[in-house]
Amino acid sequence: MKVTIVVKDRLYKMRRVTNCFLGSEAVDFLSEDQYLEREEAVEFGQKLANELFFRHVLDENLFEDGDHLYRFLDHDPIVSSQCHNIPSGIIELKPKPIDEIASRLRVLSYAIFEAYASKDGRHVDYKSINGSEEFERYLRIVQELQRVKVKDMPREEKLAFFINLYNMMAIHAILAWGHPGGPLERRKLFGDFNYVVGGCTYSLSSIQNGILRGNQRPPYNLLKPFGVKDKRSQVALPYPEPLVHFAVVSGARSGPALRCYSPGNIDKELMDAARDFLRAGGLIVDLNGKVAYASKILKWFSVDFGKTELEVLKHASNYLEPTESEVLLEMIADGELKVIYQPYDWRLNC
């Protein structure tokens, strides 16, 4: 089909669209190639579109006969230039179920963390991961995500899958592009290193802020990751999951510990991650000075934890040691608390 149909740049609704083809031309080809009537060819084309081989350039319909423009998945300019799980193009075999791929990804991630991260998950041996047999297997697995169906995943499966994918994708990004040296490089790594998953492109930022935070604006940004018509908004969780901030690891020393998450136990594992992070210095309470020294994670993503700074601290107090939590709540009640946010160490967690 790709060889026969004319793919070229065209004008559509006063804009130039690259690498696309007409619906009518696809119907012509399918009618002749599959010996179908035009209506049958349209139905066949809709099945191909539903399997994410191609899509409407503006997502206006699934597939129709006529002058509508469509684009093969690997001809999408972002997919072809910025996605790092398509080294040999789009896999045309029928994708395996997402729960099966997610399970394999989880097992492999666990093996990588066991072999190449410290016991507490705070340090990662990136040099040894690069080129390892386990990482090569990971690169093959993520290719299978290109056309999977992720929209209808249950909450628990979606949480575990996207957290695990984020953490391995961050490792992949650091190995491919190097650890970012400053804010501009970090912005590029978080925003421009992409995978294609279920026919859509996902960056680290769009996974964290779009999927896991229920399509909330990233810190210091004016826009949400997904617009109203963006298909990825249908994949996003319905509301922010605040504890994911203690689970996603971007490679910074001040970030959480690296660990693997499972759908069957995801809520307990996230609470454990929050306890470990906050009790290990993410929130320090100084009774004598009436000061709480908090990780900037609680500042950057405060809207996920509460409407005010004090609500955020009350939320975080649930994961401190009971005695320390009690002290913090008493200081909040007395109105004597001062909050100081700790410097964030962006150096690589190696």
Side-chain angles (χ1 to χ4, degrees):
M1 185 172 174
K2 285 184 182 179
V3 177
T4 305
I5 294 178
V6 177
V7 175
K8 64 180 183 180
D9 298 352
R10 306 170 192 262
L11 286 176
Y12 187 69
K13 295 188 176 181
M14 304 299 291
R15 68 173 70 179
R16 179 174 172 270
V17 182
T18 61
N19 300 331
C20 55
F21 59 88
L22 288 168
S24 58
E25 294 177 349
V27 173
D28 290 342
F29 168 79
L30 293 172
S31 297
E32 296 176 8
D33 185 69
Q34 301 293 323
Y35 304 103
L36 300 172
E37 298 294 332
R38 291 195 75 82
E39 289 185 2
E40 295 173 325
V42 170
E43 291 180 2
F44 191 83
Q46 289 173 344
K47 291 180 180 179
L48 293 176
N50 195 48
E51 292 297 324
L52 306 176
F53 284 108
F54 57 80
R55 61 193 294 183
H56 191 281
V57 293
L58 299 180
D59 286 329
E60 291 180 347
N61 57 57
L62 183 61
F63 178 72
E64 295 180 5
D65 197 353
D67 295 334
H68 294 281
L69 296 183
Y70 302 89
R71 183 188 283 132
F72 290 111
L73 180 56
D74 49 344
H75 288 172
D76 183 288
I78 296 180
V79 171
S80 61
S81 64
Q82 296 184 17
C83 288
H84 293 261
N85 64 329
I86 54 166
S88 304
I90 298 300
I91 296 176
E92 297 186 357
L93 295 175
K94 183 178 180 179
K96 294 181 173 62
I98 182 58
D99 57 344
E100 178 182 329
I101 299 175
S103 176
R104 289 162 52 210
L105 174 65
R106 184 168 63 253
V107 170
L108 186 55
S109 299
Y110 182 81
I112 290 175
F113 301 162
E114 278 282 297
Y116 304 110
S118 60
K119 285 187 177 181
D120 62 1
R122 308 291 299 193
H123 304 281
V124 180
D125 185 355
Y126 292 94
K127 288 184 178 180
S128 295
I129 292 176
N130 196 18
S132 67
E133 180 183 347
E134 296 95 334
F135 189 65
E136 292 301 318
R137 287 171 57 199
Y138 164 77
L139 294 178
R140 291 194 294 271
I141 288 177
V142 291
Q143 291 183 52
E144 299 180 38
L145 297 174
Q146 297 166 2
R147 297 189 297 110
V148 295
K149 302 295 178 64
V150 293
K151 176 184 173 183
D152 297 324
M153 293 177 74
R155 168 190 170 272
E156 292 78 9
E157 291 185 14
K158 191 176 292 185
L159 262 175
F161 167 70
F162 275 105
I163 291 172
N164 292 334
L165 181 64
Y166 180 102
N167 290 340
M168 283 302 304
M169 187 174 168
I171 291 173
H172 186 185
I174 290 169
L175 293 179
W177 287 5
H179 184 61
L184 293 180
E185 291 85 356
R186 283 195 294 272
R187 188 179 184 89
K188 179 176 175 60
L189 185 133
F190 293 149
D192 292 347
F193 191 93
N194 290 274
Y195 282 175
V196 56
V197 180
C200 296
T201 58
Y202 291 91
S203 65
L204 291 168
S205 179
S206 62
I207 290 176
Q208 181 176 11
N209 299 295
I211 302 299
L212 298 173
R213 297 185 61 220
N215 201 26
Q216 298 294 311
R217 290 181 298 174
Y220 311 114
N221 278 258
L222 297 176
L223 300 177
K224 295 181 178 181
F226 308 145
V228 176
K229 296 182 179 180
D230 194 321
K231 284 189 173 182
R232 295 174 297 178
S233 63
Q234 301 173 16
V235 181
L237 291 164
Y239 50 83
E241 296 277 355
L243 299 189
V244 301
H245 301 302
F246 308 119
V248 292
V249 181
S250 62
R253 292 189 182 183
S254 286
L258 190 64
R259 60 178 68 184
C260 201
Y261 295 86
S262 57
N265 213 23
I266 185 65
D267 289 304
K268 181 182 182 301
E269 290 170 349
L270 287 175
M271 287 190 287
D272 289 343
R275 290 190 191 99
D276 291 347
F277 179 79
L278 293 172
R279 294 180 184 185
L283 181 57
I284 301 171
V285 180
D286 180 0
L287 175 59
N288 295 326
K290 305 293 184 182
V291 177
Y293 298 92
S295 166
K296 281 189 177 176
I297 289 175
L298 295 175
K299 180 180 181 180
W300 292 330
F301 302 102
S302 60
V303 66
D304 297 351
F305 295 93
K307 295 180 180 179
T308 66
E309 188 173 63
L310 294 183
E311 284 187 7
V312 172
L313 292 176
K314 286 180 181 178
H315 189 136
S317 71
N318 293 314
Y319 306 101
L320 296 176
E321 293 286 356
T323 53
E324 196 168 15
S325 175
E326 185 177 347
V327 169
L328 177 60
L329 292 174
E330 287 178 358
M331 287 194 293
I332 291 174
D334 293 340
E336 299 177 350
L337 181 66
K338 179 181 179 181
V339 182
I340 296 177
Y341 291 99
Q342 305 164 6
Y344 200 83
D345 189 349
W346 286 103
R347 289 178 297 170
L348 188 63
N349 61 341
C350 58

